[in-house]
Amino acid sequence: MSDEADVECCTYGAWMGRNGMKAAGGVHNRWRTLKSLSRHTVSPRLAGWSVLVGLLSGIVVSSFRWIPEHSLRLATRFYSVVLPAHVMLLIPLILGLLAASLIIGKLVVSQPLIQGSGIPDIESRLRKQSSPSFPWWSVLWKKFIGGVLYIGSGLFAGREGPCIQMGACVGMGLSGSTMTTKTYKRELVAAGAAAGLSAAFNAPIAAVLFVTEEVYGKFNVRIGIAAFTAALSANAVSTMLFGTAPVFILPRVETPHFGQYWQMAVLAVLLGLIAWVYEITLLRSHSLFTLMRIPRGLRSLLPMLLTALIGISAPQLLGGGNALVTLIGNHHYTFGLLTAFLLIRFVLSQITYGSGSPGGIFLPILTLGALAGAAWGSLLTTAPFTSAGTDGSGIITLMLILGMSGLFGAVSKAPITSIILVTEMTSYDLLMPLGFVTLISYLTFDILGGKPIYDALAQSHE
């Protein structure tokens, strides 16, 4: 072989070597990129742990949801059917409420973190710079038992707060199981909170929005996707147990026409005023028990006895309010009766929360908004409004739905969450499939190294 051929051969070999190394290096780097999952927006490992958090939270919360729901049915039947026929049962009723109050008081004194809804505590921990940490097991089982006794007795307390806190406890418990999960402690606690709300109301989209908009206070992609994954997983569990029926079963309403917007505007202003009064009184509700010098271990007895009186006179008012909302949405009540219901539930829900016992305000707020909206709608069905073309058959239901969203959106200052929440809790069933498909396609695209399309387009034009 000539010297020229040798040179050409060496040059070709060097070229092949360099480019072969580049090709091999490119494949290797691509493989390293795919393996370095932590470089992606969301690690599939985090998504996998979030699924587990969602499934476990769904089991815990669904169990918690099932027991008070059935207890409330028994309580309603007892007050409306059994007690009127057997008045002497009033004595064991009072003794039973006293025993339940003592148990709840003992649980609250031994673990103060289970007081109230629990959402403010989770919120403050997630917003701190330091990694969240709390005695999750103690909070979990004591909140479960205390909440079952308190909410199951028919009090005007919601299940969503305890469900959110218990879901966060599940996330906290799993976050310390391995070195891997310790990296995701904040994300898994947030995922558990979203799973708790999702399973409580069959509302996965609203659960994610609530955690990011209200609990965490800002949108973080890792927390958002972890919460989304857990919420869908928890919703799958609750759907298998409770079905796909919405929490509020209401008749369909037509889209309001332009002439009804002034009616909605008036309702919105009224709801804003109610929200303002509600917040002021709620923040001072504990003062009643301080003034009365009721020991912390017995504070739940007062709302329990008052609720028993309500149960004897109007058993349909018992509970967090989802059964009542369905009832007034499907039957015509007068303006005066709806206003009376609103005032009774407003006052007693404040006393219920002020006792510091395990129970949320989420569902009671929605119920107050529904009552306010229904009362306004009922007023609109009377003269002179009916002469203006108001449809009496649908206006009450329409205003009821708007009332729920308006009052909760004002009190929580989370309007987007409120809109989606009420939508999910009333009639729409496709959000779960849409969320499921969208989540999987997002994770697949992310694993493959995809970037947001508009960011990618902007970079390509630079």
Side-chain angles (χ1 to χ4, degrees):
M1 185 179 293
S2 65
D3 292 341
E4 184 177 347
D6 287 340
V7 171
E8 183 178 350
C9 218
C10 290
T11 303
Y12 178 76
W15 182 85
M16 284 294 293
R18 287 194 302 270
N19 285 275
M21 290 177 65
K22 284 182 179 179
V27 173
H28 181 65
N29 289 335
R30 187 63 178 170
W31 176 245
R32 286 177 58 191
T33 301
L34 289 173
K35 290 183 67 178
S36 289
L37 297 174
S38 61
R39 294 184 181 180
H40 296 290
T41 305
V42 178
S43 167
R45 186 180 290 122
L46 171 58
W49 280 109
S50 299
V51 169
L52 184 57
V53 169
L55 293 176
L56 292 177
S57 298
I59 294 171
V60 172
V61 169
S62 295
S63 302
F64 179 83
R65 175 179 169 181
W66 187 89
I67 298 173
E69 278 189 2
H70 285 73
S71 298
L72 180 59
R73 290 173 188 167
L74 292 175
T76 303
R77 177 173 175 78
F78 175 81
Y79 285 116
S80 59
V81 179
V82 178
L83 189 59
H86 303 86
V87 182
M88 291 302 295
L89 290 177
L90 188 61
I91 296 176
L93 170 64
I94 296 174
L95 293 176
L97 293 177
L98 176 60
S101 177
L102 290 172
I103 295 173
I104 294 171
K106 188 173 181 61
L107 292 173
V108 170
V109 170
S110 64
Q111 181 49 266
L113 292 180
I114 70 170
Q115 295 182 81
S117 69
I119 296 176
D121 179 69
I122 300 301
E123 181 179 294
S124 64
R125 294 179 188 279
L126 285 177
R127 293 189 180 189
K128 289 179 180 178
Q129 294 296 325
S130 58
S131 182
S133 179
F134 54 92
W136 67 273
W137 175 244
S138 174
V139 174
L140 178 60
W141 75 265
K142 291 181 180 180
K143 191 79 170 190
F144 189 101
I145 295 175
V148 165
L149 291 173
Y150 201 58
I151 300 172
S153 298
L155 276 82
F156 297 175
R159 62 176 179 253
E160 71 298 320
C163 291
I164 289 173
Q165 189 175 28
M166 287 189 292
C169 287
V170 173
M172 186 69 205
L174 282 178
S175 70
S177 59
T178 67
M179 288 301 295
T180 299
T181 55
K182 288 179 181 178
T183 307
Y184 307 130
K185 182 173 288 187
R186 189 183 304 276
E187 288 84 353
L188 293 183
V189 171
L197 179 56
S198 176
F201 286 152
N202 285 7
I205 312 300
V208 178
L209 288 174
F210 183 73
V211 167
T212 55
E213 185 180 19
E214 174 65 22
V215 178
Y216 189 61
K218 58 183 177 181
F219 184 78
N220 176 292
V221 174
R222 283 166 60 96
I223 284 182
I225 296 301
F228 197 13
T229 306
L232 291 175
S233 302
N235 188 63
V237 175
S238 64
T239 298
M240 286 190 292
L241 293 175
F242 300 102
T244 59
V247 175
F248 302 123
I249 303 175
L250 302 171
R252 302 289 296 183
V253 294
E254 296 182 1
T255 303
H257 54 78
F258 185 76
Q260 291 179 287
Y261 274 81
W262 73 267
Q263 301 168 353
M264 293 185 284
V266 173
L267 175 62
V269 174
L270 292 173
L271 293 171
L273 294 173
I274 293 173
W276 180 71
V277 176
Y278 180 89
E279 183 177 66
I280 291 175
T281 53
L282 188 73
L283 294 176
R284 292 167 174 77
S285 58
H286 67 280
S287 301
L288 173 65
F289 296 87
T290 303
L291 291 173
M292 297 178 68
R293 297 182 180 180
I294 300 177
R296 185 172 296 277
L298 283 175
R299 289 187 175 182
S300 61
L301 183 59
L302 176 61
M304 280 186 164
L305 292 176
L306 292 175
T307 302
L309 293 176
I310 298 299
I312 294 171
S313 57
Q316 69 269 32
L317 293 181
L318 294 176
N322 52 303
L324 176 62
V325 172
T326 300
L327 183 66
I328 63 177
N330 289 276
H331 298 83
H332 188 86
Y333 287 85
T334 64
F335 170 76
L337 191 58
L338 290 169
T339 303
F341 287 172
L342 174 63
L343 293 175
I344 291 171
R345 285 198 62 97
F346 187 98
V347 173
L348 196 48
S349 64
Q350 302 283 8
I351 297 174
T352 299
Y353 184 81
S355 69
S357 301
I361 59 173
F362 210 114
L363 187 54
I365 290 174
L366 291 172
T367 305
L368 291 176
L371 286 168
W376 174 238
S378 180
L379 184 63
L380 292 174
T381 61
T382 61
F385 301 110
T386 49
S387 60
T390 302
D391 181 14
S393 61
I395 188 65
I396 295 178
T397 303
L398 173 64
M399 294 300 168
L400 179 152
I401 295 172
L402 296 176
M404 285 194 291
S405 180
L407 186 62
F408 183 78
V411 173
S412 65
K413 285 199 168 181
I416 298 176
T417 297
S418 181
I419 294 168
I420 299 299
L421 177 69
V422 172
T423 299
E424 287 187 292
M425 293 176 70
T426 50
S427 59
Y428 294 91
D429 297 327
L430 291 178
L431 288 176
M432 175 66 177
L434 286 171
F436 181 76
V437 172
T438 304
L439 174 64
I440 293 180
S441 64
Y442 176 96
L443 290 175
T444 303
F445 182 69
D446 188 64
I447 290 172
L448 295 175
K451 296 180 180 180
I453 184 61
Y454 293 106
D455 290 351
L457 288 172
Q459 291 177 4
S460 67
H461 291 158
E462 290 178 357

